[in-house]
Every structure is written in C-alpha cells, then in structure tokens.
Amino acid sequence: MDLSFVVNQVLTGLAGASSLFLVASGLTLIFGVSRIVNFAHGSLFMLGAYAAVTIYGPVVAALGPAIGPWFAMLCAALAVGLVGVAIEVLILRRLYHAPHMLQILATFGIVLIMQDAVVLIWGYDQIVGPRIPGLRGAVTIFGLRFPQYELFMLFAGPAVFVGLWLLLHRTRWGTLVRAATRDREMADILGVDQAKLFTSVFFLGAALAGLAGGLQLPREPANIYLDVRVILEAFVVTVIGGLGSIGGALLASILIGLLQAFGILIFPKSTLVLVFAVMAIVLMFRPWGLLGRPEPQTTSDLAETKAAPPDRPYAAHLVVAVLAVLMVLPLFAPDYIVKLSTQAIIFGLLAFSLNFIVATGGILSFGHAAFFGIGAYTAAIAVKNYGVPAGAALLAAPLIAGVVALGVGWFIVRRTGIYLAMLTLAFAQIVWSVAFQWVELTGGDNGIVGVWMPGWASATGAYYYLTLAVCGTAIAVIWRAVFSPFGYTLRAGRDSALRCDAIGIDLRRHRVLAFALAGTAAGLAGSSFMFLKGGVDPSLLSMDISADALIMSLIGGVQTVVGPLVGAAAFTFLKAYIMPLTDQWRLVLGVIIIVLVLAFPRGIVGFVNARDWFSRTVTRSPIPAVEERTA
Amino acid sequence: MSALLEVTGLAKSFGGVRAVRDVSFSLNRAEMLAIIGPNGAGKSTCFNMVGGQIRPGAGSIMLEGENIAGLMPRQIWRRGVGRTFQISATFMSMTVRENVQMALMSHHGRIRALLPLANRLYAEEAVAILERIGLADRRDQMCGVLAYGDLKRVELAVAIAHRPKLLLMDEPTAGMSPSEREALMQLTASIVREEGMAVLFTEHDMDVVFAHAAHIVVMNRGAVVTVGTPAEVRDNSEVKRIYLGGTLEAAH
Amino acid sequence: MGEAMLKITGLNAYYGRAHILHDVDLTLGRGEVVALLGRNGAGKSTIMKSAMGLLSGRSGRVEFRGRDVGALRPYRISRLGLAYVPEDRRIFSGLTVLENLEVGRRAPADASKPWTPERLFDLFPNLGERRDQDGARLSGGEQQMLTVGRALMGNPLAILLDEPSEGLAPIIVEQMARAVKTLKDEGMSILLSEQNLYFAHAVGDRAYVVDRGRIRYEGRLDEIMANDEIRRAHLAV
C-alpha cells in the first residue's frame, strides 16, 4: 500500500464517516431528550432521499443550478422534519413513560408503514439521483483522483457538527435541550415546557435525517432498502459513541468510516461483521459507549414499575380441549390450514421462548432471530453437507443454538434495557451477515434448499404431528419453567436485583442460563421451520423475524403466559389471509402494531383476563399504564 | 466470648469526598446495636459496607473471625447475614409467601430446578416464618398491593428465612405508624432473644433506638462521634448539638 | 399574615400504597417565611413536591395566588411564580454555572427588578468565581447556592426551599441564612423545610411541625424554641 493510496482510503473513509454522522447525530439527539430509540430514523433518511429527488428537477428549473440543488435538499429536509413532528405528536409523545419494548415496537411499526408508503408513492424501482452541478468532477490528491462530491461530503459532516455544537452551546434553546437531556423533571420544575422542547428536537433530528438522505442522492439512487441499512449503521454509531452524545457520534462515525474503508481491503467480505464486532468490543469495555453516560434518573416519583406475575397455570381442561382440537386438526382441515398451523406452532415456540426472557426475566432481546436462524442453518448444513440424519439434525441444531446463546448471553446480560436490546440486535446482524457473506457454507443470498424430512415425515400431516410433539414438548417445558424455581428466580431478578443479591442469588449466571434456554428453544423452532419449508435463507435471520416474535407477544399479551401462543396463531393466520388481499401487508401490520401499543398494550389474553370473563383466569395487572405526565 | 461482628477502621470515599472514615464498633450475639446520626452522616454507607452492597475503601469487617469486607452481598448472605432495606426491596409480582419461599429456595440451593412448582416448595416452612412475623393471614396477597408497614414485615420475614446469625435492618420502621413501629421492634427483640440473632440497625426514630438498642453508635460527617449505652448517648452534649443544630449567631 | 400566597387544604399523598400525608392544611402568606419542621421522613419534602405538581398520587387542594394549581404540570406552576429548590439539588451536570442559571431564567411576572446572574453573584459571591465551571464540579455548598440561584432566575413570587442547610458546613449555613433573610427583605414568600431548628428560628416567622405525615403543631418559631415538649416529641432527641 503506497501513501497516496492510504490517503485516498482515509479520505474515502472520512467522507463515509461524514454521511454516517449526519444520520446518527439526529438519532442520538432525539434519544438524548426522549430516551426513545427511534427505529424510524432510517425511514426518515429514505424519505429525505425520495423527497429531494422528487422536487429536485422543478426547483432547479426555477432557481437555477447554483442555488437550486441546495434549496431542494433543504426543502426536503424541512419536509422530513415536519414528518418527524407528526410522529412525535401523534405517537411517541404518548409513550415516553412506556416500557422500552412498546417504544421499540411503535417505532418499528412506523418503519413498516413508511416502507409501504414509499412504495405506494414512488414505486419499487430505484430513482437515480442528480449529480450536483459544479461538483461532478474529481480532484487529484497525491496522484489519485478523488471525486469532488466526496470531498464536499467530507466537510459536510464536520460542518453540521460545528453547527449543532453552536446551537447546543450558544443558544438558549440548546441550553434547555442539554438540561432536559440530563434531568427532564428538573427542567420541568424550572418552567421548561417539555412538550414543545421535545417536538422541536424531533423536528431538528428528523430534518437532519432528511438532509442526510438528500445529500446521499449523488452517491446512490433513492431506493426502498435505504431505511434498514441506514438505521443499522446509525444504531451502531450511536451505540458506540454513547446514546445521547453528539461528540460520541462524531467519534464513532470516524471510527466506523475508516473501519469500512480499510476493512474492505483486508476482509473484503466481512465489513459488516467487523463493524458489529467493534461495537460489541467497545460495549464490553465501555458499557455506555465512548462518550455516553449511564441513564439518568428522570423522575423522583418512587412508584416502581408494576411487575406483573404470570397468570396461574391454566385450567387443565382448557389445555386439554385445545390439545384435543390440535390433535384432530389434520383429520378434517385442508393441507393449507395444516401447514399454516404447523407454522403457527413453530412461531408459538419462538414467541413463547422470547417472552420467557422478556416478560419473566426483563431481558429485552431484539435479536431472537439469531438463534432461530442458527437452528435452521445448522440443521440444513448438517443434513446437506455432512449427511446427518434429518431427525438427529432437527434435535441437535437447537443445542448448537443454545451453546451460542450461552456464550452471547454471558456478556450481554450484564447490560439492561435499551443497551441489551441493541446488543442482541447487533449480534443477530452479525449472524445475518455471516450467513449472507459466507457463501461456501451457507449459500449466501440463495440459502440452502431441498432439505426435507425423509419419507413419511415429509408429508404435511405427519410433519404437523412431529412439530406438535417436538415443539409442543419444548413449550410445555418452558411453560413449566415459568412456574418452577428457575422461572421464579428469573422473575425475582426482574422485580428486585437488590433483593436477589441479598438472598444469595447469582443473578447474572441465572440470566445467562435463561438466555441459553430461550436460545435453545428458538433454535428448535428454527430447525423445525427449516424442515417445514425445506430450506433456509438469510431472511430467517433478519430483524423482521425478531420483530415478528415480539409482535406476536404484543398481540397475545406480553404479561401473560399463553399470550405469545395466541399471538403467534393470530399473527400467522392474519398474515396468511391479509397478505393475498393487499400489497401493503407491512402497512397493515404497522398500523396494527401502533394501535395495539397505544390502545391495547395488554394484548388479546391480557384483555380477556382483565375482563374476568372466565372465572378460572385471574385478573392481573397489565404492563404499566402509559402515564400522560410528560405529554 | 468474642464478638460476633467486629468492624475496625472502616472507610469509604466517593469521588474524593470521604463519606465514612475510621469507623469501628463491635456487636455481640443476641444484641441489638443501632447506628444513628443526621442525614449524610454516613450511616447508610457504613451499613451497606457491612452488607456488601458497597465495597469498603479500607478497614476490616470480621464476622466470627472471618473478614467479610469486600465480599459480594450474596457471599455475605451465605455466611449467615440477612438484611432489610430502607426502601423495601421485595418481589412485587409475588405473594408474601412466595417471597419467603424464594429465600428458602436459594438457601436450599434449589433455584435452578426446572420441574418442581416453586410455590409448593418449602411452603410450610415459609408459612411458619410468616406466622412468627404475624403475616400468616396475608400470605397469599401480592406484595404489590400491601400496605407499607406490611411490606417492611415481609422484608423481615425474607431476611430471617435462612436463620442468619446477624440481621441488618436499614431504617426498619421508616414510614410506619407509632404503634406499628413498636410492634415491629418488639417482634425483632423477641427474635433476638429466642434465636440469639444479633441485629445491627439504623433508625431515625429516637424512641425506637433508646427503647431497643443495647448500644448506640452515633455518627456525624462520616465519623463516629461516640459509642455507648442509650443513657450515655442521651447525656452526651456533642450528640445534642448535632441533633438540634448549631447556633447561628452570625445570622441574627 | 396578609393575603395567602400558597394555601394547601386537606392534602393527602401516597407513594404507591403507602399513605404518606394525612390531611395537611398549610398557608404561606405574602412576604412570609414559614418553616416545616420535622425529622427525616416526616413528610416535609412530600408536601413540597405535592405543591409543585410532582406527585401523581394525591388528593386535596393546592392554591397558588388564589388559583387552583392541583391539575397543572410543574412547568405551568413554575410559570405562575412558584419555585422549588429540591433537597438533592439536581444541578444539570455538563452545564456551567451560568448555563444552569440560564435554564431557570424567565422574565418577571410583574415590574419588579429581575434577577440577573450578576445580582445573584452579589448574593452568593462564591458562585461568581466559578461561573464557567461545570455545575457538577462545585462543592456541596456551592451547589446549594446554585440551585437556589437557578430558582431565583425565574423571578418567582414564592419559593419552596427543601432542606437548605442540610449537610452544609456551618459557615455555608450562615451564608444561606443571610441569603434567605435578604430574600425575605425583598418581599419574597418562602416555605422552607428544616431539621435544624436554629436555622429555622434564625430566618423564619412561623412554623408547622410535621411528624409522620401530619401537621402536629403550628405556631411562632419563638414558641417552638421555648417548648421542650414539642421539641422532644416531634423534632429531635
């Protein structure tokens, strides 16, 4: 590597860092005051790109090539800022005191809605952006040509940083924002209207995302995959930098930018793995990120989060009745229904195992798909590459998932809340990128196909019974675990870590074991799913699967034992019947999520239980009610 | 007989501020020792160092001849120390009985069992403890709906479940009515008498302190002002000054 | 006593299930300095938080300048002219002394002379020397001055001072007492909670003795100072 090449890579890396910073700064700014991790931030970026590309032509025609391009991007940014305001006022404002899981799901719902909205408005095809007049050429640096626009981008990030810094440190508004970031309630006491302040912060944060989207246009076309890619990058940057820290975001952007520029030379295939690995390493040594600080205490009210108990074991006859229906289902139901039911049972196990750690253990995982996928891939590879008998692969794959979960759990369960959720997401993305990039082993994008159960077991009915037996047993084990000393201890840890410690419980080890148990169960769901579909591809490891599992719990009722099972069934059949009717399944799902989060956070079972329609079920407190105190 | 608990030269600083310096005292079996002092005197810090919630900066904490300074709370618990917290730390999603059962399951090493039903394990033992504490009639109520005074008693029941040698009580009667206070302390005293358990407690209510403590450690600004019997402490002029505040000639 | 600035009637407050305040009645007159006396945990802070709208679990009536403020958010109450200085000070870390003051700044409701950082630095000279330092890096006494100053920047008509002398060195306590007297001379109404009877006596007119969530006694501070029985029963050793 000669010097000019290194310099060129450094500049490329820094230009990338600039672009990362533009997105991450808005995300971290919003998190700072609202403590909400906004999954929709990437969607706002995408929206900015589409908005800019749409108005670019007319605006440039009207104002000329000198001012036109910049004015178009500015207008797009402002428009996106207004969308951000709408999101804050209509949805997020009601969730400031809600559990992290509901906040994450609500913003994820916005992601889904925006994906379909963009498709509806602009279609599936990518739209190639303009090249800015005056910045189309290249400059020669150390003998290598470097695009002018990249050079411009290289300065855009630092310029925005300086602007933000001045805004936050040299204006009254900035002082109030920083004060509210440290202690919302004290700012309130001093007469600061938080609602207005938060809305203005959302405007700025969203506008920054929109601006970043517009500025990206000369580098890549506006397309419908921008949102997920950008949000993952922005998460990594903000988490490494420290949630809420603008300076940290800049530092982390530079780190990641350079890592991508040079990593691609050393490991051409694994920059994603490299990026997420760096994130994991940083968090191990600095749990709050490079420049972050521990979550501040935001309220002086002593009222603790209401921790719901699981409902008592359900009346045996109810369980028997459901089992009886399941046993005879293939005798009268068409194949299609039986297949769907098989899938519902599998997803039931996935959601059930996730809810075990989320609701009982207070371990909010947003990466459960990792273990589902590992189970599926392990089984497929075992059968395809090593000739392992299908039955053995079905049962052994979960053990591999469990061992991986044990290792991952060992260092993530020390964290709590939102950091834990983001760490699990990061881990799932590492696994996803391995599956995507290690083509020799995993088949890359195409995955592995044609892996079926042998002979009799491949028949729809037979595989249904097999799944019912195997996954049903796993569900029964976890169900029992909820009420066993193991589950009680896990719940005790969620209720009061302090008390656990003072009665001799090694909580961390316990949480790791629970994480491994849930991972094993997810692995079994994964291997079962693989044989149902006869193959596997990276989509099984995607964020969508992790989110779906959480959504199933939400639909059924997070704080209930059967909720995830009911939710999985409802979700599976709803999806199967709505999807053929509309091209906008994501939009429908997004709306469902948001309505549930805002209006029915207890889910179906929680709703039924609270009504006390069946005297056998016990009325229990739901997830903490959303208090309107900050609104 | 040597003392059950022997604290020597205990010290702790937070960010350069010396919260506790050179605190020494000892506690015999079947004795109640109170630590008192105004807010910010370092009582809680001292207390949490004995319980393991805060790691001591210096000094030793000998429990039956073994130095427990710097051990984890759960290791200290295993050596026979139970404790209650100022803001009661109970498992809010469990019933009163299940809270005690949790402590018993941990004591018997059963917390990782996957198959038994937790609320059937050590149920009788738990009820017996609750009867001792006078909470048997509340055994099936959720902790989340209990009155404050009852929660404090749940804390006590959980803390004594593994029959500790030493019980640490941080502000056991805070927020209780006078009659509840007296009842709780009578109960504690009777447990001390019958089981030979030693109690170290902090308390704001001087009536409670003077009525029940055999010895009192008075702290102010991180240091021990005096150690003595209630009578000795009551007559100490330094203690009076601390409690009623200094005169403010300059301000008049 | 004059016109009531703050009037609390039948206040009950709860933390979860715990009933903390029982039927508290209390009045703070215009230009008056009133002390809430009582031990730790007696309910003094809870009274102040309730008045400021910081507690969700409460019933009863809180009137400020004749207006029912029970349903208002803290920032609305603050803008009506009631300031609150919390016991734990809650300085904004990462913000300088001047910036901390800036957060509290609000134009006065009437034509009175507004508080400026310079005027505050006359009242608390130590703060002036540290104006560009991170508020979190100040000593305990300086933080207490800053938190009082920050409240004053809102040009309030009345101020709730929670334990202003707690944990402070004697010389700082004296400074704080002088400051309270200065404010009183300027016509500020002040409700302060105290465990230090001498401090309360040095600055206050009247006092309420609070114990176990109830008002046990109300009277002039001279009387309370002279009454051994009350002192022993509700206040200290």
Side-chain angles (χ1 to χ4, degrees), chain B:
Chain B
M1 197 171 70
S2 67
L4 174 73
L5 181 74
E6 185 86 48
V7 172
T8 318
L10 205 55
K12 180 74 188 179
S13 299
F14 294 110
V17 182
R18 294 167 76 190
V20 169
R21 47 184 196 274
D22 197 24
V23 168
S24 303
F25 58 85
S26 69
L27 171 59
N28 294 319
R29 287 179 177 77
E31 186 186 279
M32 293 178 75
L33 175 76
I35 306 181
I36 68 168
N39 252 3
K43 301 181 303 273
S44 288
T45 308
C46 253
F47 203 80
N48 285 327
M49 284 192 279
V50 177
Q53 280 77 20
I54 295 177
R55 175 179 277 273
S60 69
I61 304 168
M62 307 298 287
L63 180 74
E64 293 188 311
E66 186 192 1
N67 191 357
I68 57 167
L71 293 185
M72 308 278 283
R74 62 185 144 84
Q75 295 168 319
I76 292 174
W77 178 84
R78 293 247 174 247
R79 283 163 177 73
V81 180
R83 78 162 288 175
T84 68
F85 293 94
Q86 184 171 352
I87 296 165
S88 53
T90 54
F91 306 128
M92 296 305 245
S93 71
M94 298 184 192
T95 66
V96 171
R97 181 165 56 89
E98 288 168 344
N99 266 267
V100 180
Q101 283 173 287
M102 271 312 309
L104 291 169
M105 283 187 264
S106 176
H107 181 51
H108 293 286
R110 295 295 297 279
I111 56 169
R112 290 191 201 117
L114 268 171
L115 290 179
L117 283 176
N119 67 1
R120 296 203 188 138
L121 284 181
Y122 313 111
E124 279 121 57
E125 214 175 323
V127 171
I129 292 167
L130 289 172
E131 264 160 9
R132 184 80 188 75
I133 302 290
L135 271 175
D137 55 333
R138 298 236 192 290
R139 73 183 86 164
D140 292 324
Q141 285 193 2
M142 307 297 292
C143 269
V145 306
L146 285 187
Y148 198 66
D150 287 340
L151 269 182
K152 288 273 183 186
R153 287 194 289 164
V154 175
E155 282 259 291
L156 181 58
V158 171
I160 64 166
H162 73 313
R163 299 180 170 268
K165 303 167 195 138
L166 171 64
L167 176 61
L168 308 174
M169 300 173 87
D170 196 0
E171 301 279 345
T173 71
M176 289 179 137
S177 72
S179 56
E180 279 178 321
R181 281 174 199 224
E182 192 46 37
L184 184 83
M185 292 314 288
Q186 290 284 1
L187 178 68
T188 310
S190 74
I191 294 171
V192 167
R193 265 198 315 276
E194 288 160 26
E195 318 242 337
M197 194 182 283
V199 175
L200 176 67
F201 70 112
T202 65
E203 179 59 62
H204 271 100
D205 187 327
M206 292 307 137
D207 297 343
V208 167
V209 171
F210 288 119
H212 294 283
H215 289 93
I216 300 172
V217 178
V218 185
M219 288 185 70
N220 191 31
R221 297 180 181 281
V224 172
V225 175
T226 183
V227 183
T229 62
E232 289 163 3
V233 166
R234 203 191 290 267
D235 291 338
N236 187 311
S237 59
E238 176 76 2
V239 174
K240 282 186 185 162
R241 194 193 61 76
I242 292 167
Y243 266 84
L244 288 176
T247 50
L248 287 163
E249 292 87 4
H252 279 267

Side-chain angles (χ1 to χ4, degrees), chain A residues 175-359:
Chain A
T175 306
L176 296 185
V177 168
R178 282 159 57 224
T181 301
R182 295 296 145 80
D183 188 342
R184 282 191 238 175
E185 190 181 70
M186 194 61 225
D188 195 6
I189 290 167
L190 290 168
V192 176
D193 182 351
Q194 291 181 58
K196 268 192 201 145
L197 193 67
F198 281 23
T199 309
S200 62
V201 168
F202 261 87
F203 175 77
L204 180 61
L208 281 171
L211 182 67
L215 289 174
Q216 187 70 6
L217 279 176
R219 311 171 90 196
E220 73 180 308
N223 65 76
I224 53 173
Y225 304 107
L226 282 175
D227 56 348
V228 172
R229 197 199 80 209
V230 166
I231 192 61
L232 287 172
E233 286 176 352
F235 274 178
V236 170
V237 168
T238 47
V239 166
I240 291 179
L243 282 168
S245 165
I246 305 275
L250 183 68
L251 215 59
S253 300
I254 293 171
L255 181 68
I256 295 300
L258 292 178
L259 200 68
Q260 284 176 334
F262 285 97
I264 207 159
L265 304 173
I266 305 162
F267 310 104
K269 285 182 175 175
S270 59
T271 50
L272 271 171
V273 177
L274 210 58
V275 163
F276 284 111
V278 165
M279 167 170 160
I281 291 166
V282 167
L283 287 191
M284 276 181 78
F285 293 101
R286 293 195 63 95
W288 309 105
L290 293 174
L291 299 182
R293 55 185 71 220
E295 297 249 314
Q297 212 60 48
T298 46
T299 170
S300 66
D301 209 320
L302 286 177
E304 60 286 290
T305 315
K306 270 202 208 77
D311 12 22
R312 299 291 130 192
Y314 276 74
H317 60 71
L318 199 64
V319 175
V320 171
V322 172
L323 266 181
V325 171
L326 290 177
M327 290 299 289
V328 299
L329 188 84
L331 302 182
F332 60 84
D335 261 15
Y336 173 67
I337 298 291
V338 175
K339 269 215 163 100
L340 268 184
S341 303
T342 312
Q343 193 172 326
I345 293 167
I346 291 168
F347 280 125
L349 175 60
L350 181 69
F352 201 72
S353 61
L354 176 59
N355 206 50
F356 179 62
I357 50 173
V358 173

Side-chain angles (χ1 to χ4, degrees), chain A residues 172 178 182 188 629, chain C residues 73 79 90 93 99 102:
Chain A
R172 176 175 166 80
R178 282 159 57 224
R182 295 296 145 80
D188 195 6
R629 290 183 55 80
Chain C
R73 299 269 315 143
R79 288 177 182 190
R90 299 172 73 167
S93 61
E99 287 173 335
E102 173 65 20

Side-chain angles (χ1 to χ4, degrees), chain A residues 9 52 88 139 179 203 209 273 312 385 458 483 524 566 573 596 617 625:
Chain A
Q9 283 309 111
E88 196 271 340
V139 288
F203 175 77
V273 177
R312 299 291 130 192
N385 294 10
S458 65
F483 298 96
L524 179 61
V566 174
F573 280 89
L596 280 171
T617 57

